Amino acid sequence: MSELEPLLLTGHESDLGGGFIVHRLLPSGKRQRVGPFIFFDHFGPVTHPPEANTDVRPHPHIGLATVTYLFDGAMMHRDSLGSVQRIEPGAINWMSAGRGIVHSERTPDDLRTAPRSSHGLQLWVALPADQEETEPSFSHTGAEQIPEVPLDGAHVRVLVGSAWGATSPVKPNSDTLYLDIRLEPGRTLELPALATEMAVYGVDRPLTLNGEPLPSHTMAVVDGAAQIRNDTDGELRFVVIGGEPLDGERFIWWNFVSSRKERVVQAAQDWDARRFADVPGETERIDLPARRPHWF
């Protein structure tokens, strides 16, 4: 593969419990991260029956920010700061774990008695090393606050960062780019080099990237600007992620991210010993996985 050819990541499926399946692109054996993005999960589209239990019980994080974005459905976020926020399509929820936070993600009560749709992305951004031990925080940016840019044959939502003269109000911890783009059939978009590192992910249909086919649910790490064309008979959707490279290596185990192995080990011990703060009103929790990395 030449240096100009994109690195393709096909990902794998992972069961988060209760039959809640996600397609995971990052981290992978070929590439751990793109810019500060160190984790990329795509779930759905799927319709759950009323009896399905897709709740994610309380669990901890350190050293990262979770970025939740829905195309369809809704979920209820609760965390150890006392935040209670319904997440709906088009909004961005940015939860910075810092030195430690606990949260749950559950089906809203009003959706439990009927079939319900679920489709969205959950990404993790690794915090800069000098921000890993900051106080945790939570920020919700409503769909109506996200800037939208109409282009010739394309529609861009600037979720995080700046593009085509628009800047998102979401405040990342480092230089970060996250775009949601819809492209009409038969149209072409010239994607500028908007970030030092950048990747394209096809959400629902195959697209043509620099003249080559890119299947849906596949991530292409691109080198600079790229040309994206829609050769299908319907509108397609893709996202762009990127930013400045991380300031060094990151160690990931379970829900913990850190530039130091010993900090990940300490976080695991803290969760096991119930030293993390509780989520108000929650009594359940997810226990540590039995399998540990060799460096524990």
Side-chain angles (χ1 to χ4, degrees):
M1 181 173 64
S2 74
E3 291 185 358
L4 296 179
E5 291 178 330
L7 173 66
L8 301 184
L9 307 177
T10 56
H12 65 277
E13 288 191 345
S14 181
D15 190 340
L16 299 186
F20 188 52
I21 306 297
V22 300
H23 190 65
R24 182 161 297 163
L25 281 297
L26 292 175
S28 78
K30 292 182 179 179
R31 180 102 179 196
Q32 186 191 50
R33 64 222 190 193
V34 177
F37 289 96
I38 203 163
F39 185 90
F40 188 112
D41 269 3
H42 179 194
F43 53 91
V46 63
T47 299
H48 300 289
E51 65 272 14
N53 181 4
T54 57
D55 287 2
V56 180
R57 294 168 292 146
H59 58 282
H61 292 287
I62 67 162
L64 60 89
T66 63
V67 188
T68 306
Y69 185 66
L70 298 181
F71 302 121
D72 194 12
M75 63 174 64
M76 188 65 72
H77 165 97
R78 292 182 175 86
D79 64 42
S80 51
L81 299 176
S83 311
V84 179
Q85 178 64 55
R86 186 185 179 107
I87 309 174
E88 296 187 322
I92 283 283
N93 268 30
W94 186 285
M95 184 186 75
S96 184
R99 60 179 177 78
I101 198 168
V102 180
H103 75 134
S104 64
E105 294 163 311
R106 297 186 181 273
T107 300
D109 289 342
D110 60 297
L111 299 182
R112 290 186 182 275
T113 58
R116 56 189 184 273
S117 300
S118 180
H119 188 202
L121 301 172
Q122 186 163 84
L123 283 56
W124 293 357
V125 172
L127 299 179
D130 62 359
Q131 297 182 42
E132 289 180 332
E133 298 301 322
T134 55
E135 291 295 313
S137 62
F138 174 79
S139 175
H140 174 80
T141 304
E144 71 284 355
Q145 298 173 269
I146 299 295
E148 302 189 6
V149 183
L151 301 175
D152 186 18
H155 184 86
V156 180
R157 303 192 80 232
V158 184
L159 308 182
V160 184
S162 299
W164 285 284
T167 298
S168 169
V170 176
K171 302 299 183 185
N173 300 85
S174 61
D175 187 9
T176 305
L177 177 71
Y178 189 11
L179 309 175
D180 173 16
I181 302 178
R182 302 195 311 272
L183 186 61
E184 296 173 5
R187 307 307 290 267
T188 298
L189 175 69
E190 300 292 341
L191 179 66
L194 297 169
T196 303
E197 293 185 355
M198 199 164 66
V200 174
Y201 176 74
V203 172
D204 53 10
R205 290 174 178 261
L207 55 84
T208 301
L209 174 66
N210 295 335
E212 298 295 329
L214 181 71
S216 61
H217 302 171
T218 302
M219 180 177 289
V221 182
V222 297
D223 183 12
Q227 183 188 77
I228 297 166
R229 191 171 70 247
N230 182 359
D231 290 323
T232 75
D233 58 2
E235 183 182 74
L236 66 79
R237 184 173 222 152
F238 65 97
V239 298
V240 179
I241 62 169
E244 285 297 315
L246 284 173
D247 53 358
E249 187 175 4
R250 291 298 187 274
F251 300 96
I252 307 176
W253 180 71
W254 196 40
N255 300 311
F256 307 130
V257 174
S258 180
S259 57
R260 299 177 292 123
K261 291 179 182 178
E262 61 272 19
R263 183 65 181 91
V264 174
V265 175
Q266 181 62 57
Q269 294 172 345
D270 288 344
W271 181 246
D272 212 25
R274 298 180 178 268
R275 287 192 285 263
F276 276 81
D278 293 326
V279 177
E282 294 271 19
T283 58
E284 297 181 300
R285 59 183 260 140
I286 300 176
D287 291 330
L288 290 173
R291 187 176 179 181
R292 310 291 169 89
H294 65 86
W295 40 266
F296 254 57

